[in-house]
Amino acid sequence: MEIFGDWTLRVVALGAGLLGAVSGFLGSFAVLRRQSLLGDALSHAALPGIALAFLITGSKATVPILVGAAVTGWVGTLVVRLIVQRSRVPYDAALGLVLSVFFGLGLVLLTVIQKRPDAAQAGLETYLFGQAAALLRADVIVMAVVAAVVLLVLMLAWKEMKVLTFDRAYGESMGLPMARLDGLVTALLVVTIVLGLQTVGVVLMSAMIVAPGAAARQWTRRLGSMVTVAAGIGVAAGVSGAVLSSVVPRLPTGPTIVLILSGVVGMSLLMAPERGLVWRRLQLGRLRRRPRQEPVLMHLHALSLQHPDDPEHGHEVSVLRTMNPPDTDVEGALTALAERGLAGADGEGLWAPTELGRREAARTLARLDLEDAR
Amino acid sequence: MNPEVEILLIAVVTSVACAMPGVFLVLRRLALVSDAITHAILPGIVVAFFLTGSLTSPLLVVAAAATGVLSVVLIEAVHRTRLVAEDAATGLVFPAFFSLGVVLVTRWAGKVHLDTDSVLLGELAFAPFDRFVVGGADLGPVALWMMSGILLLNLALIVVVSKELKLATLDPALAAVLGFSPVVLHYLLMTAVSVTAVGAFSAAGSILVVALMIAPPAAAYLLVENFRPMLVVSAVLAALGAVGGYGLARWLDVSIAGSMAVVCGLIFAGAFTFGPERGLVSQFRRRSAQRVEFAARLLAVHLLHHEGTEREDVECAVSNLNVHLGWSEPAVGRAVAFIVARGMTVDKGGVLHLTEAGRRFAEDLTAGVAQPGSV
């Protein structure tokens, strides 16, 4: 395709794709650990850092600005933790408080900057919604390095990450460095979010973290494949969003990527096999249509108990029909039981439970007794 | 009216109007719903603005508030599928709404007087330009009228269903048993939050509405113990935040909305640090008082243990206590001062002796511990 020959577009697409990959990796863990909204607070808390870095250095160079953003973002997470530990203000209120107050501070600093006579400040607002077209080759290299580090950490500490995600107390009891790993993951999340600010912006970076993981979760029940699928979704959404917003005039990058991601999440919630809503509806219908075998088996068992000397004494279908509600598909249930080897008919069409069927029924009865006793 | 007074009035009214539903959000662990709603109203604002051409038309308020409530419904629907956790559901739905709004705004930028910055950040300084004129008479800024109306609505809501909301907030199960539908109350509250957010966004910007809704109630939550005082204190703190924020903005010539958020944050930090019962400082004081009291108890037991023994002069000498008890000198000094001040010991030439009261105190402490079987 011709557009991929475009150097700028290639850089932009590569950058957004890398960002999507890292977001998918780390976002999977954030989603599983119920930290989805931490990213929201963190990215908003980065705004004053961006403005402060500009005020101190007086330039829009990427690295100092990202360092500033990372510092205030990290301070934001510390403040959230301090508030939750030292007061009765709940976690969600602490997040909202830090998010909005830090953002307000950032806004105040931005207006301070706007008053400065030099015109160099133009463009700091792009951090609000991201501007992928402004990505430079150096930015992409930084992203690639971060992606490599994240991947390396995940590979080296894979089982520790698993324990941290699903059973932290167990990990601590085994003497694994859970607190240090938690700190490391949070630090990597801060770095990822800060990197994303240029592309997606302060306001929407949280969606970049949450959406790939939430979508991937629907397609698999294994952590390894979830992380891989999430990274794949992140890459696809990042590249297509960046390309679209570069090709179509006046289409901001961040919102475009987020809308694509939202579409993917919606599709996953509906369509994913085993978990998706459509799939579950189909499954429910199949269960409803299937004749209920258990009551019929229990009735056969009850009948056979009437004949202690001949447990396989056969009974007519009509007998069973009188024992069940009128709309029961008794024949269907009997056929299904016969298929499973739990019941059988003799040559005259008289039904009796097999040895296996009687044992199965007795087991069910024992279980029901146990439940009653409880 | 002077435009500055008008801006200040709008700021105060907006701030107090936001704090009222905020009290319920903080108590019901729904604080981030304000974040979700303030973002999700954007597409509603944009579409309604295209249709009406005015940011203060009542139709816009209704349409945008409906989008906010819709986003809450959607978040709950996504959560109810049990495919994602509630925080993730929130984090998925509102960015989608917000993105849609931003794309709509930027695609039609230039055709309308509405841009993302003004929605996101708000600009209170422009509020007095939009006048409410009836039959040629200028009745003041539209924003002031609108926010006062919303404040009155919120107050009316609180007065009318305060008992029910309080019950549903503090004991949802009991509320349901008594026949108050928590769902209806929940959506009443969500509607109030949405309407308030829509009214306030042009003054405060969508993200700073979150600060106004959460910070004053969260600060009040640390200052008072009851529901009604919390409402009153929240309103007072919100008004203080507005006045302080306006003053700060005037003084430094910066964004009014941003300054209001910062001052609200400072007010919370003040309550968090210096709150009379729950502040960091009083937590620290209480803890050190407990430490001294505990040390004094140990000291009393130590004195009782060595009373009348040969080594009493050594063990109970003030100058040796730091070695014998393994405490720092200042800690010894504080414990000795505590126990002497309460008349439990007397200092005779550098050696501590228990008084009658001190002996009883120490014996009470050791009763059942020192002698097994004595209960």
Side-chain angles (χ1 to χ4, degrees):
Chain A
M1 281 226 296
E2 188 165 342
I3 55 167
F4 283 101
D6 184 338
W7 166 253
T8 321
L9 197 55
R10 220 157 39 190
V11 169
V12 167
L14 197 60
L18 279 170
L19 177 69
V22 186
S23 306
F25 286 142
L26 292 174
S28 299
F29 293 99
V31 168
L32 289 174
R33 298 178 63 197
R34 312 254 158 125
Q35 291 181 336
S36 300
L37 295 171
L38 184 65
D40 196 28
L42 232 157
S43 53
H44 284 76
L47 187 63
I50 293 172
L52 269 181
F54 179 79
L55 279 173
I56 293 170
T57 65
S59 86
K60 278 190 299 170
T62 311
V63 174
I65 282 191
L66 292 191
V67 170
V71 169
T72 52
W74 183 66
V75 170
T77 65
L78 291 188
V79 173
V80 169
R81 197 182 299 173
L82 180 72
I83 292 176
V84 172
Q85 277 174 356
R86 290 292 172 149
S87 77
R88 61 172 175 177
V89 172
Y91 179 64
D92 62 326
L95 277 183
L97 199 71
V98 165
L99 178 159
S100 54
V101 171
F102 273 60
F103 191 85
L105 182 62
L107 192 55
V108 167
L109 293 175
L110 278 185
T111 45
V112 168
I113 292 171
Q114 271 162 11
K115 282 189 315 180
R116 284 160 54 123
D118 49 350
Q121 93 280 358
L124 277 185
E125 303 87 42
T126 58
Y127 281 100
L128 290 177
F129 294 110
Q131 184 57 266
L135 280 181
L136 301 175
R137 189 160 165 268
D139 302 332
V140 176
I141 292 173
V142 175
M143 281 185 187
V145 171
V146 170
V149 170
V150 168
L151 204 57
L152 195 69
V153 168
L154 286 188
M155 285 198 301
L156 287 180
W158 180 250
K159 65 177 186 301
E160 286 83 357
M161 285 295 296
K162 237 182 193 175
V163 175
L164 177 69
T165 309
F166 295 112
D167 198 344
R168 181 178 176 149
Y170 172 67
E172 269 158 10
S173 74
M174 299 235 303
L176 294 173
M178 289 290 119
R180 248 181 294 160
L181 192 60
D182 193 12
L184 178 67
V185 175
T186 309
L188 287 175
L189 197 64
V190 170
V191 173
T192 308
I193 285 172
V194 165
L195 279 182
L197 297 181
Q198 266 180 309
T199 317
V200 184
V202 169
V203 186
L204 293 168
M205 190 53 212
S206 66
M208 195 77 194
I209 296 287
V210 182
R217 174 66 190 90
Q218 312 311 323
W219 298 93
T220 169
R221 52 174 71 183
R222 299 196 59 83
L223 184 63
S225 35
M226 175 176 166
V227 171
T228 319
V229 172
I233 291 174
V235 172
V239 171
S240 50
V243 170
L244 257 181
S245 79
S246 302
V247 175
V248 181
R250 290 203 314 276
L251 195 60
T253 317
T256 310
I257 296 179
V258 170
L259 282 179
I260 293 173
L261 276 174
S262 305
V264 174
V265 171
M267 281 284 297
S268 308
L269 291 179
L270 287 176
M271 297 301 184
E274 292 188 27
R275 280 174 70 95
L277 295 179
V278 172
W279 179 278
R280 280 205 307 213
R281 182 57 58 82
L282 289 176
Q283 192 81 355
L284 208 62
R286 214 174 299 150
L287 277 177
R288 277 210 192 106
R289 278 194 304 278
R290 208 167 64 194
R292 296 192 55 217
Q293 303 161 26
E294 202 170 42
V296 176
L297 178 63
M298 300 311 285
H299 293 138
L300 280 173
H301 181 61
L303 289 171
S304 93
L305 287 178
Q306 308 279 321
H307 308 274
D309 35 294
D310 176 18
E312 304 221 348
H313 183 92
H315 288 89
E316 297 210 16
V317 176
S318 57
V319 176
L320 288 161
R321 203 169 284 139
T322 57
M323 298 173 82
N324 281 286
D327 55 343
T328 313
D329 179 11
V330 176
E331 279 90 350
L334 284 171
T335 319
L337 284 171
E339 276 168 21
R340 289 164 64 196
L342 299 176
D346 59 11
E348 296 163 43
L350 299 179
W351 285 83
T354 61
E355 168 79 38
L356 195 67
R358 289 199 298 280
R359 248 186 291 149
E360 169 77 28
R363 228 188 346 256
T364 308
L365 275 180
R367 202 181 63 222
L368 290 176
D369 276 354
L370 239 145
E371 272 167 25
D372 280 352
R374 218 177 274 150
Chain B
M1 241 189 314
N2 180 331
E4 281 170 30
V5 178
E6 284 178 355
I7 292 176
L8 189 60
L9 268 180
I10 296 171
V12 170
V13 172
T14 304
S15 188
V16 175
C18 288
M20 291 297 98
V23 169
F24 296 97
L25 294 181
V26 168
L27 286 178
R28 305 185 78 172
R29 310 278 191 271
L30 289 172
L32 287 172
V33 164
S34 66
D35 189 31
I37 286 183
T38 51
H39 284 83
I41 55 177
L42 182 61
I45 290 174
V46 177
V47 172
F49 184 70
F50 287 154
L51 297 178
T52 63
S54 150
L55 270 181
T56 40
S57 114
L59 177 66
L60 180 130
V61 175
V62 172
T67 334
V69 176
L70 179 70
S71 77
V72 176
V73 173
L74 207 58
I75 288 172
E76 276 158 16
V78 170
H79 175 52
R80 243 199 330 273
T81 65
R82 287 189 287 161
L83 295 174
V84 291
E86 187 163 20
D87 63 329
T90 310
L92 287 170
V93 170
F94 82 79
F97 273 71
F98 191 72
S99 302
L100 190 64
V102 175
V103 169
L104 286 177
V105 170
T106 32
R107 290 298 291 160
W108 281 279
K111 288 188 195 158
V112 291
H113 178 69
L114 178 71
D115 62 273
T116 44
D117 285 7
S118 72
V119 171
L120 197 63
L121 313 177
E123 192 40 87
L124 204 52
F126 299 145
F129 293 140
D130 196 358
R131 311 300 298 186
F132 189 47
V133 180
V134 175
D138 181 359
L139 297 178
V142 176
L144 184 57
W145 282 95
M146 188 164 73
M147 282 321 295
S148 304
I150 291 172
L151 175 60
L152 284 179
L153 273 180
N154 285 344
L155 288 178
L157 180 74
I158 288 172
V159 168
V160 172
V161 292
S162 142
K163 192 162 74 286
E164 289 79 1
L165 259 178
K166 183 171 149 188
L167 185 62
T169 300
L170 303 174
D171 193 345
L174 180 63
V177 168
L178 293 178
F180 302 113
S181 165
V183 177
V184 171
L185 287 170
H186 180 67
Y187 281 106
L188 262 180
L189 179 61
M190 292 300 113
T191 310
V193 173
S194 299
V195 170
T196 312
V198 177
F201 93 94
S202 58
S206 52
I207 292 168
L208 301 167
V209 172
V210 177
L212 296 181
M213 283 190 177
I214 300 178
Y221 190 43
L222 295 179
L223 294 176
V224 295
E225 299 298 322
N226 283 307
F227 188 72
R228 227 169 266 242
M230 187 172 161
L231 279 171
V232 176
V233 171
S234 299
V236 171
L237 294 182
L240 272 180
V243 174
Y246 181 67
L248 184 71
R250 286 291 312 226
W251 179 44
L252 297 174
D253 189 18
V254 290
S255 152
I256 300 173
S259 312
M260 280 164 66
V262 170
V263 172
C264 285
L266 289 177
I267 288 175
F268 175 81
F272 179 69
T273 318
F274 301 111
E277 289 288 321
R278 302 179 174 278
L280 282 186
V281 172
S282 51
Q283 279 180 35
F284 177 76
R285 284 228 185 101
R286 198 160 47 234
R287 231 169 264 158
S288 19
Q290 281 168 346
R291 207 173 291 141
V292 171
E293 203 183 317
F294 183 70
R297 288 177 179 199
L298 277 186
L299 180 58
V301 173
H302 177 81
L303 296 180
L304 179 69
H305 185 65
H306 294 287
E307 195 170 44
T309 61
E310 290 169 26
R311 287 174 49 79
E312 185 177 3
D313 288 351
V314 183
E315 289 283 350
C316 302
V318 175
S319 52
N320 292 340
L321 283 173
N322 59 335
V323 180
H324 288 271
L325 291 168
W327 297 345
S328 69
E329 302 237 0
V332 170
R334 279 193 296 270
V336 170
F338 184 94
I339 200 167
V340 170
R342 276 159 187 73
M344 294 184 190
T345 54
V346 280
D347 186 338
K348 286 184 189 154
V351 178
L352 294 178
H353 294 278
L354 286 171
T355 63
E356 190 51 41
R359 202 167 297 121
R360 261 203 316 277
F361 176 68
E363 277 167 356
D364 280 352
L365 285 172
T366 54
V369 182
Q371 305 109 321
S374 70
V375 184

